[in-house]
Structure formats: C-alpha cells, structure tokens
Amino acid sequence: MSVNAVHTAQLLLKVGDGADPEVFASPVLINMDRSVSMTSNFSEVEIPHPTSQTTPGSILRFVRSVDYTISGAGKLHEDDLADYLTWIKSGASKNIRAEIGGTTNGGQFIAVAFHLETFELTGPHKEVLEVSISLRPVDTGAVTTGALS
C-alpha cells in the first residue's frame, strides 16, 4: 500500500478580502514557512488508586475546548506592509482559510475569523526583511472544517 504524503506546498494560508462574495488570496508574505496548530484544553480529575495509597492513581481528562493557532513567515513584500500594520493596530479580524492537502486526495480546510496576534519583522544586515505572524481565532466555536473541492 502506498502512502499519500502531503507536501509542504499543500499547506496554504489564505486571507479573505472582506468583500461579498469573499475572495481569498495567499500572500507570499506568510506562505514561505507556515503552521497550523490545534490544541485541546483539558480539565483533569485525579482518581486515587482504589486499594493502595502507595500506588499512583489515575487521571481522567475531559476536553473543555479546542484552540487554534496559525502562524506564517516569509519575505516582506513592501506593498503588504501597510495592510498588516493597519490590521494589527485596528484589532479587527479577517477571515482566514488554511488549506491542507489537495482536492483529489482527501484535502481539508480550516476557516474562521482570526485576529492578528503578532507581527514581527527581522533580518540580518544587507538582507531582505523577514516577517512572521501568528493568528488566533475570534471564536473557536465558529471554526469550520471540510473537504477541499
């Protein structure tokens, strides 16, 4: 049986333009290096061992919520700078769509409105500036997922 590995080029972050209908574009600025992280937040209950005080007990975990973080990095494109500075200063959210995989092999998407959490510019002397961002969802309960088509 062959394995259908997902190439890094098949993780694409797209930013919505807010129009109706909304158009999503994938800026190079955040698609050189990118990640999507999903984290379960738990409540825990420790249960003592029923017959021995010296034997470790067990821990029951219950998922309270799921959180998402999207991050991206790339070379700074000067035309994008004003848009990202305005976004972080405004506190506004933008619709983001993370597409994972392709349309023929079970690819999926994650989409929701995200706040721009961090916007960082770095770079060594006489190089092109690098930019890295992280995004956090406005409402994790509103996250949609589905198959790419």
Side-chain angles (χ1 to χ4, degrees):
M1 180 165 102
S2 65
V3 174
N4 291 325
V6 178
H7 192 276
T8 56
Q10 291 179 294
L11 173 56
L12 195 57
L13 304 180
K14 294 184 173 184
V15 180
D17 65 0
D20 187 17
E22 190 152 35
V23 176
F24 288 86
S26 53
V28 173
L29 177 137
I30 58 172
N31 275 299
M32 295 290 289
D33 185 19
R34 59 244 182 244
S35 86
V36 176
S37 173
M38 293 151 270
T39 305
S40 294
N41 299 303
F42 298 97
S43 61
E44 297 181 346
V45 177
E46 188 173 325
I47 307 296
H49 191 276
T51 60
S52 171
Q53 294 296 316
T54 59
T55 301
S58 60
I59 297 174
L60 297 177
R61 290 187 175 94
F62 304 94
V63 176
R64 295 179 319 180
S65 61
V66 177
D67 200 4
Y68 301 81
T69 302
I70 290 179
S71 60
K75 301 295 184 188
L76 180 62
H77 186 253
E78 192 171 2
D79 293 346
D80 293 334
L81 181 58
D83 291 339
Y84 283 90
L85 290 174
T86 299
W87 185 9
I88 198 158
K89 286 177 13 182
S90 72
S93 63
K94 289 190 179 201
N95 290 327
I96 303 294
R97 185 175 160 102
E99 296 181 354
I100 307 143
T103 57
T104 59
N105 61 354
Q108 297 285 305
F109 72 86
I110 298 169
V112 74
F114 281 84
H115 288 297
L116 181 54
E117 180 181 38
T118 61
F119 180 76
E120 180 180 9
L121 300 168
T122 59
H125 181 66
K126 295 195 177 198
E127 293 285 338
V128 175
L129 276 177
E130 301 261 342
V131 64
S132 61
I133 68 169
S134 65
L135 307 166
R136 299 295 297 269
V138 173
D139 178 0
T140 60
V143 170
T144 58
T145 60
L148 291 175
S149 54

